[in-house]
């Protein structure tokens, strides 16, 4: 070894011994060191779509000032009519937003109700009410103890007294009910209509004639601060569902009849004509069944006397069968004969509902409608924000820079071209990144898993929802053909079935329904290699993983809690875990040790359980590795196996965490990632990077380093001490700017400086305690 290395190593070892106490695991701290970079899409360039928008409010005086909420993307502001956007709430506890409201007396006071009240599996729980008094620059979190675990469907602020607010609260969504809550400890707390008289600080639940069921809307009469309307719209139906009215500011309520349906009533949305306050419209869905079907349009109803009597209007079924998911209504601000209702499609009437015209924006699934100060119509849908100057006859997208894509688990990377990433997005197809800010949709539907042949990366797989909808491209996504021969389309599925390549054999693939199929010819044909692996008659497989060291070993997790494994290519299966909680949709829940087919990691993905599990004996026993990880659902695990102790990365409901000591202690990894659900992680070790897929803010990239490899030669030895010494500083002192990525490569404990505490990474790299 050169003498300089001997000198530096001796100096480091001496100092390390003297300060051994600082090697103790530090407490969790804010993320520092390397920084996440957004990779979009914002939007998907070819079709100009972004992810789901759940709420919109517009300035009543400034025609260029808009606020929109992403379902899982937080609150965004535009001051130039949607030409560009600024994210406002990335650092708040959650980016799941269900409702927005402006104070009518001060538009710089903004309320954002967290938790998206659209009842899907990905309509996540909220964590309270966000309030800004400076136009969205800063926020306070209010009433988390009252509303956490549930969702805001609507917020209404009194035009007479700004301190008076009403909120419509629902449970988190999913089928079965509340699966999107992921076991939040307050998920089954009270729902219904709530009132605050101190600007949202404290709240009381309104009853006295009003049932304590999901409230899907609450509206204030524009000319009378005492008159409040509420929609009770439990999506599975309830005899108490309906429209309610209070004439004493919520102190008491009556259930309105007069022509409204009394049976088979699901979600309800209300609209009031600002220029004719006695005119109301109610858009009502049928009750959904346990699987989310049957919720077509129950009817559109109009009242011209403040809800005393109602007329049934003949309207087309704009809800399809998903009225529990998409149900909106809006009346023109100055013309009470013009009304717009929507769900999967959008309908407009110019004669008070006597007839209707389809005015659906370029992307279906409507969740928000608003008029701006210039009288233009804005629509929030599963493709972002669209605006019309013709009240719906034509539309333009306003999605440039609005990064709200909701990826599912299943990102894949091209092994030869670093820029190329594929991912499947909620209602936005399969998307391909080819360069910075350049994404194109290469396949439609609800995009799910993607897979790239690592030997021939021009061969790419994608899917859309349902069994057997698996497609193969041989020209890098230029075109696709169905590649599901042998898969029984009647099999139960996890909405988006998991599938993937054998890492050791690019011709071998697996695909999961309620059982597992195998292909040995690159996905052209499939054969069943298992029986039903699920625990119930409605279960399906949500996660699959083939051991890189032994393709005969396949691990599978089902959405009803089973974990099964085969070590002989499906000839026999072992049930190694039951009642494993977690999200019921597609997950990359399992990570198999690259060198040991009997060792695997599992993500829990539910509050109140072990979030990270590991087995080293083929699933016979499992060890929890949660350490000091916060109790927040973990959706995905990725492992860097190069050091003597595996480096663990987990994608959770609010960011990415890393452990350097086998799960004893965890720290948030990297700065700059919004508190948005991370659903996928892909380690790209040859390029020293990690890609995260989020459900709400698209894809993100961050550098990663082999712990202890301070000089970047992919080895950990005493030669690294020289590079470490170059960056060594005292506590709280920034490293010298002239050195290479000091914080990213050397700040092992993520405390924002490079000091002797970081020398602990040598111990980890060499297998020390």
């Amino acid at each position: 070894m050169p003498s300089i290395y001997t000198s530096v190593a001796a100096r480091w070892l001496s100092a390390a011994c003297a300060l051994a106490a600082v090697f103790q695991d530090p407490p969790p701290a804010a993320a520092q060191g390397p920084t996440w970079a957004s990779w979009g899409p914002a939007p998907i360039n070819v079709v100009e779509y972004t992810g789901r928008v759940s709420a919109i409010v517009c300035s009543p005086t400034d025609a260029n000032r808009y606020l929109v909420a992403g379902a899982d993307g937080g609150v965004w502001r535009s001051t130039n009519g949607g030409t560009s956007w600024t994210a406002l709430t990335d650092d708040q506890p959650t980016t799941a937003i269900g409702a927005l409201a402006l104070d009518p007396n001060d538009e710089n006071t903004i309320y954002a109700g967290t938790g998206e009240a659209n009842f899907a599996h990905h309509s996540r729980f909220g964590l309270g009410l966000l309030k800004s008094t400076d136009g969205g620059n800063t926020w306070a979190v209010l009433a988390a103890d009252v509303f956490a675990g549930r969702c805001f469907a609507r917020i209404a602020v009194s035009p007479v007294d700004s301190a008076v607010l009403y909120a419509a609260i629902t449970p988190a969504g999913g089928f079965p009910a509340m699966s999107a809550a992921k076991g939040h400890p307050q998920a089954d707390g009270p729902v219904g209509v709530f009132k605050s008289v101190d600007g949202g600080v404290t709240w009381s639940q309104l009853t006295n004639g009003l049932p304590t069921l999901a409230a899907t809307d609450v509206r204030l009469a524009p000319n009378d601060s005492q008159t409040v309307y509420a929609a009770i719209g439990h999506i599975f139906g309830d005899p108490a569902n309906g429209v309610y009215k209070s004439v004493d500011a919520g102190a008491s309520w009556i259930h309105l009849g007069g022509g409204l349906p009394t049976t088979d009533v699901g979600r309800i949305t209300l609209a009031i004509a600002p220029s004719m306050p006695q005119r109301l419209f109610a858009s009502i869905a049928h009750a959904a069944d346990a699987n989310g079907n049957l919720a077509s349009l129950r009817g559109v109803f109009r009242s011209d006397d403040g809800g005393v009597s109602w007329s049934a209007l003949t309207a087309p079924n704009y809800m399809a069968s998903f009225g529990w998911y998409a149900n909106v209504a809006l009346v023109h601000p100055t013309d009470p004969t013009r009304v717009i209702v929507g769900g999967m499609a959008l309908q407009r009437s110019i004669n008070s509902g006597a007839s209707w015209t389809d005015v659906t924006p370029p992307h279906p699934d409507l969740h928000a409608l608003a008029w701006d100060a210039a009288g233009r119509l804005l629509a929030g849908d599963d493709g972002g924000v669209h605006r019309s100057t013709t009240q719906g006859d034509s539309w333009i997208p306003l999605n440039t820079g609005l990064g709200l894509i909701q990826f599912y688990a299943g990102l894949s990377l091209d092994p030869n071209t670093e820029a190329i990433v594929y991912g499947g997005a909620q209602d936005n197809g399969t998307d391909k990144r080819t360069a910075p800010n350049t994404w194109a949709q290469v396949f439609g539907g609800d995009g799910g898993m993607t897979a790239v042949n690592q030997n021939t990366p021009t061969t790419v797989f994608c899917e859309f929802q349902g069994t057997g909808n698996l497609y193969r491209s041989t020209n890098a996504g230029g075109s696709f053909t169905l590649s599901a021969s042998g898969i029984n389309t009647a099999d139960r599925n996890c909405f988006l079935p998991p599938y993937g390549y054998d890492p050791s054999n690019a011709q071998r693939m697996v695909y999961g329904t309620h059982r597992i199929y195998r292909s040995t010819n690159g996905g052209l044909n499939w054969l069943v290699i298992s029986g039903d692996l699920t625990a119930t008659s409605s279960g399906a497989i949500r996660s699959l993983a083939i051991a890189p060291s032994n393709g005969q070993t396949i691990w599978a997790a089902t959405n009803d809690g089973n974990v099964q494994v085969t070590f002989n290519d499906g000839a026999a299966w072992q049930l190694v875990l039951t009642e494993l909680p977690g999200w019921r949709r597609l997950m990359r829940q399992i990570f198999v040790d690259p060198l040991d087919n009997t060792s695997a990691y599992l993500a829990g993905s539910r509050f109140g359980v072990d979030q990270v599990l590991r087995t080293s004996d083929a699933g016979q026993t499992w060890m929890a590795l949660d350490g000091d990880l916060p109790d927040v659902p973990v959706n995905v695990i990725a492992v860097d196996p190069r050091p003597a102790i595996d480096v663990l990365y987990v994608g959770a409901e609010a960011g990415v965490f890393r452990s350097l000591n086998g799960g004893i202690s965890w720290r948030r990894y990297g700065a700059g990632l919004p508190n948005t659900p991370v659903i996928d992680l892909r380690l790209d070790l040859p390029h020293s990077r990690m890609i995260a897929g989020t459900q709400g803010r698209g894809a993100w990239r961050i550098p990663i380093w082999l712990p202890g490899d301070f000089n970047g030669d992919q080895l950990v030895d005493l030669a690294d001490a020289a590079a470490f010494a170059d960056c060594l500083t005292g506590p709280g002192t920034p490293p010298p700017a002239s050195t290479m990525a000091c914080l990213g490569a050397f700040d092992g404990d993520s405390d924002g400086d490079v000091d002797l505490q970081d020398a602990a990474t040598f111990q980890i790299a060499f297998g020390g305690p």
Side-chain angles (χ1 to χ4, degrees):
M1 178 185 299
S3 59
I4 185 174
Y5 285 13
T6 304
S7 174
V8 171
R11 184 177 37 162
W12 167 71
L13 289 171
S14 174
C17 290
L19 297 175
V22 302
F23 288 170
Q24 300 302 313
D25 293 316
Q32 305 211 26
T35 299
W36 291 90
S38 175
W39 266 24
I44 306 167
N45 290 354
V46 173
V47 292
E48 299 182 322
Y49 295 149
T50 187
R52 186 164 72 251
V53 166
S54 56
I56 302 174
V57 291
C58 301
S59 164
T61 59
D62 184 347
N64 288 313
R65 189 176 181 87
Y66 305 150
L67 291 165
V68 305
D72 277 312
V75 181
W76 296 65
R77 179 181 64 209
S78 176
T79 58
N80 53 18
T83 301
S84 62
W85 297 90
T86 301
L88 302 178
T89 57
D90 283 355
D91 59 348
Q92 296 306 305
T94 179
T95 55
I97 308 293
L100 289 173
L102 299 180
D103 183 341
N105 303 301
D106 177 9
E107 63 183 87
N108 283 316
T109 297
I110 307 166
Y111 295 93
T114 68
E116 186 212 0
N118 283 319
F119 303 101
H121 280 294
H122 40 73
S123 296
R124 280 178 169 80
F125 56 92
L127 294 174
L129 177 69
L130 306 181
K131 180 179 181 179
S132 174
T133 57
D134 56 10
N137 296 323
T138 61
W139 298 83
V141 181
L142 306 177
D145 57 333
V146 180
F147 298 124
R150 283 145 289 146
C151 305
F152 280 78
R154 190 82 65 190
I155 301 168
V157 186
S158 170
V160 175
D161 183 351
S162 295
V164 176
L165 285 71
Y166 297 85
I169 303 297
T170 77
F175 300 86
M178 295 199 300
S179 62
K182 295 194 172 184
H184 191 284
Q186 294 171 252
D188 59 354
V191 296
V193 179
F194 289 73
K195 182 179 181 180
S196 173
V197 295
D198 55 10
V201 177
T202 61
W203 293 81
S204 57
Q205 186 173 17
L206 303 180
T207 53
N208 195 17
L210 194 65
T212 55
L213 295 168
T216 51
D217 212 344
V218 60
R219 302 281 186 169
L220 300 180
N223 64 334
D224 179 2
S225 62
Q226 296 295 299
T227 297
V228 188
Y229 297 93
I232 300 298
H234 180 56
I235 64 170
F236 298 106
D238 189 278
N241 275 2
V243 181
Y244 290 76
K245 181 178 182 179
S246 173
V247 294
D248 52 14
S252 62
W253 298 81
I254 58 170
H255 190 173
L256 299 177
L260 289 174
T262 59
T263 60
D264 190 20
V265 172
R267 180 174 178 174
I268 304 172
T269 294
L270 301 174
I272 303 177
S275 61
M276 183 179 173
Q278 292 294 98
R279 172 164 285 184
L280 288 81
F281 292 86
S283 171
I284 302 178
H286 284 281
D289 69 8
N291 297 313
N293 299 315
L294 306 181
S296 58
L297 179 66
R298 183 71 166 87
V300 181
F301 301 83
R302 188 189 76 224
S303 174
D304 291 334
D305 54 13
V308 175
S309 60
W310 296 81
S311 301
L313 307 176
T314 301
N317 178 23
Y318 51 83
M319 295 179 177
S321 60
F322 304 104
W324 52 266
Y325 175 62
N327 188 347
V328 292
L330 185 68
V331 183
H332 190 276
T334 60
D335 184 349
T337 69
R338 292 179 176 265
V339 60
I340 299 172
V341 293
M344 300 292 283
L346 198 65
Q347 298 287 321
R348 181 190 66 206
S349 174
I350 60 174
N351 52 17
S352 303
S355 61
W356 300 88
T357 300
D358 185 274
V359 290
T360 304
H363 202 297
D365 295 350
L366 283 302
H367 302 285
L369 296 172
W371 303 101
D372 71 11
R376 298 172 294 189
L377 177 63
L378 273 70
D381 49 56
D382 276 12
V385 180
H386 292 86
R387 185 176 67 199
S388 176
T389 59
T390 58
Q391 299 186 36
D393 290 326
S394 61
W395 299 87
I396 60 170
L398 301 179
N399 296 322
T400 300
L402 190 59
L404 301 178
I405 284 290
Q406 294 176 288
F407 279 120
Y408 283 107
L411 298 183
S412 57
L413 312 180
D414 186 299
N416 300 329
T417 306
E418 289 186 58
I420 294 179
V421 178
Y422 297 87
Q426 189 274 326
D427 214 15
N428 280 291
T430 297
D431 307 316
K432 178 183 180 181
R433 180 188 188 272
T434 54
N437 303 315
T438 304
W439 290 77
Q441 187 180 95
V442 295
F443 206 79
D446 270 283
M449 271 201 155
T450 64
V452 175
N453 186 312
Q454 296 297 291
N455 294 336
T456 310
T458 53
T459 298
V460 180
F461 278 83
C462 73
E463 67 174 339
F464 66 88
Q465 64 270 29
T467 296
N469 296 318
L470 182 66
Y471 288 78
R472 179 175 183 261
S473 172
T474 58
N475 56 7
S479 59
F480 286 86
T481 57
L482 186 65
S483 191
S485 177
I487 296 174
N488 188 336
T489 58
D491 280 10
R492 302 191 301 272
N493 64 74
C494 197
F495 188 69
L496 293 159
Y499 66 93
Y501 279 105
D502 179 345
S504 62
N505 181 353
Q507 289 299 303
R508 190 167 174 277
M509 301 179 70
V510 293
Y511 181 95
T513 59
H514 64 277
R515 50 187 175 169
I516 294 178
Y517 293 79
R518 180 193 63 213
S519 173
T520 58
N521 59 6
L524 297 178
N525 303 97
W526 299 84
L527 292 173
V528 172
I529 61 167
S530 82
D532 186 348
L533 298 182
T534 68
T536 63
S537 60
S538 61
I541 296 167
R542 66 181 167 193
S543 186
L544 282 174
I546 302 177
S549 64
N550 182 340
Q552 302 276 305
T553 301
I554 307 168
W555 293 79
T558 70
N559 64 5
D560 52 10
N562 282 352
V563 176
Q564 305 233 26
V565 62
T566 178
F567 295 100
N568 53 12
D569 208 21
W573 291 84
Q574 301 174 30
L575 179 63
V576 294
L577 265 183
T578 60
E579 300 182 4
L580 180 71
W583 202 44
R584 292 184 62 83
R585 285 282 181 87
L586 172 68
M587 298 181 68
R588 208 186 297 271
Q589 187 177 13
I590 307 169
F591 185 96
V592 185
D593 190 306
L595 304 177
D596 181 0
N597 65 318
T598 66
S599 294
Y601 295 86
L602 279 173
S605 194
R606 186 178 176 86
F607 285 99
V609 302
D610 295 327
Q611 298 295 342
V612 183
L613 294 168
R614 184 178 189 271
T615 181
S616 57
D617 57 8
Q620 299 309 300
T621 60
W622 296 84
M623 176 182 293
L625 305 180
D626 289 16
D628 59 0
L629 188 69
D631 181 23
V632 60
V634 167
N635 300 312
V636 58
I637 298 173
V639 179
D640 183 348
R642 294 174 297 175
I645 299 176
D646 288 348
V647 179
L648 310 181
Y649 298 91
V650 298
E653 287 293 293
V656 174
F657 295 82
R658 181 182 71 167
S659 176
L660 296 173
N661 53 16
I664 296 172
S665 60
W666 295 85
R667 281 187 178 271
R668 191 179 291 269
Y669 186 67
L673 183 68
N675 281 332
T676 194
V678 176
I679 196 69
D680 203 10
L681 291 175
R682 305 299 285 157
L683 295 188
D684 185 6
L685 300 181
H687 298 118
S688 299
R689 65 177 183 165
M690 177 167 60
I691 310 298
T694 74
Q695 283 202 320
R697 289 299 307 276
W700 294 71
R701 175 195 179 276
I702 195 169
I704 58 173
W705 283 268
L706 175 65
D709 179 22
F710 293 141
N711 62 6
D713 64 359
Q714 302 299 307
L715 298 173
V716 180
D717 53 31
L718 289 178
D720 295 300
F724 175 68
D726 287 341
C727 276
L728 193 63
T729 66
T733 304
S738 60
T739 58
M740 62 168 192
C742 288
L743 284 179
F746 306 158
D747 184 16
D749 60 8
S750 299
D751 66 353
D753 55 33
V754 179
D755 54 26
L756 288 173
Q757 198 165 9
D758 298 298
T761 55
F762 277 108
Q763 293 177 296
I764 295 167
F766 287 122

